[in-house]
Amino acid sequence: MSTSARAGTRARGLWLGVGAFALVAAAQAWAIASSPADRDMAHLQKIMYVHVPAAWNMMIAFFVVAIASLRYLWKGQERDDLLAASAAESGTILTGLTLVLGMIWAKPTWGIWWTWDPRLTSTAVLFFLYVGYLILRAFVDDPDRRAQWSAAVGLLGALNVPIVYMSVRWWRTLHQVQSSPQTLDSSFTVGLRLNAIAMMVVLVFFIRHRYETARMEREAELLQERAALGGRGGING
């Protein structure tokens, strides 16, 4: 990629980031200002506008990890490995955010910060699986071996996503089942959907930004290897 093309990509990424965070701020402000206090949870309910969109988008991120990992194992293209890693980083952050916000909500609602509820436990397992994925990538130097092992762990972690989603229906315990337009008051529905979309735009920005950064890092590594060995290299695909 030429210097001018790279500068153009970075400029578009910057504007996407500014727009994404502005959209989140606007969506949050609108939802908080327009929705009434909940009958049971009062204004604590408004944490839903971050907690639920973060949970939904973490599942989207890990779906991207699964698809990109499968593509890597099938075609062996490095760009799929980098995309999977970028989505895994973003998904792990959203999973951590989901857990923390859930604990903040649980303390005044349930009277405890944490319980080994199936939804909470499966989400925590998902979080630590992808923390392990990122640690694995940090400690394996060989790019091919790192990509292969990461793809396997990425797919293993993604298998836990349906368990997280269905846990509240398979094991009806403390955590409430998923809300839907039929079960959620209409005064909350628009704000929730708006924030979910805004959070998804932020997710796209994070994945795109990390992917472009990873490509540049890999190009720099290949240039160093070529300079050291006197050979030629480049990112395939």
Side-chain angles (χ1 to χ4, degrees):
M1 182 182 292
S2 66
T3 303
S4 60
R6 186 170 296 156
T9 300
R10 294 183 66 179
R12 287 192 294 274
L14 175 63
W15 282 112
L16 175 61
V18 171
F21 284 102
L23 183 60
V24 167
Q28 286 290 317
W30 188 87
I32 291 173
S34 63
S35 61
D38 181 72
R39 182 190 60 188
D40 300 320
M41 293 182 286
H43 290 293
L44 179 64
Q45 168 273 334
K46 299 184 192 303
I47 202 170
M48 173 185 73
Y49 297 126
V50 185
H51 176 69
V52 176
W56 287 348
N57 281 283
M58 92 184 173
M59 295 182 186
I60 294 174
F62 293 138
F63 178 73
V64 174
V65 174
I67 297 300
S69 296
L70 278 173
R71 280 179 56 90
Y72 177 80
L73 293 175
W74 177 27
K75 297 187 174 181
Q77 293 184 339
E78 191 172 44
R79 63 184 180 184
D80 291 322
D81 171 57
L82 299 182
L83 176 60
S86 303
E89 290 180 5
S90 305
T92 303
I93 292 172
L94 289 175
T95 308
L97 179 64
T98 301
L99 287 169
V100 170
L101 291 174
M103 293 169 68
I104 293 173
W105 178 86
K107 178 60 177 173
T109 306
W110 295 343
I112 49 176
W113 291 103
W114 179 264
T115 181
W116 295 105
D117 174 271
R119 168 57 70 85
L120 277 64
T121 304
S122 57
T123 305
V125 169
L126 184 67
F127 175 73
F128 286 111
L129 273 171
Y130 279 101
V131 168
Y133 173 100
L134 298 177
I135 292 174
L136 170 69
R137 294 189 65 85
F139 280 91
V140 179
D141 292 328
D142 181 76
D144 293 334
R145 186 174 301 174
R146 179 175 59 210
Q148 291 169 2
W149 292 359
S150 297
V153 176
L155 285 170
L156 177 64
L159 290 176
N160 195 40
V161 173
I163 298 175
V164 172
Y165 182 78
M166 294 302 298
S167 60
V168 291
R169 297 188 180 275
W170 289 344
W171 303 284
R172 288 178 176 270
T173 53
L174 197 55
H175 195 288
Q176 68 187 68
V177 297
Q178 301 94 340
S179 299
S180 69
Q182 288 73 37
T183 61
L184 189 65
D185 190 292
S186 59
S187 58
F188 304 127
T189 303
V190 175
L192 182 59
R193 288 178 173 174
L194 189 61
N195 277 283
I197 294 171
M199 187 76 77
M200 187 165 60
V201 177
V202 171
L203 174 64
V204 170
F205 164 70
F206 275 136
I207 292 176
R208 183 181 186 278
H209 176 73
R210 286 301 301 145
Y211 176 76
E212 294 297 336
T213 301
R215 280 184 65 93
M216 287 189 284
E217 290 173 349
R218 189 70 188 116
E219 287 175 359
E221 290 176 4
L222 290 172
L223 285 174
Q224 290 177 350
E225 291 175 6
R226 188 168 58 183
L229 301 175
R232 303 182 64 180
I235 294 179
N236 57 25

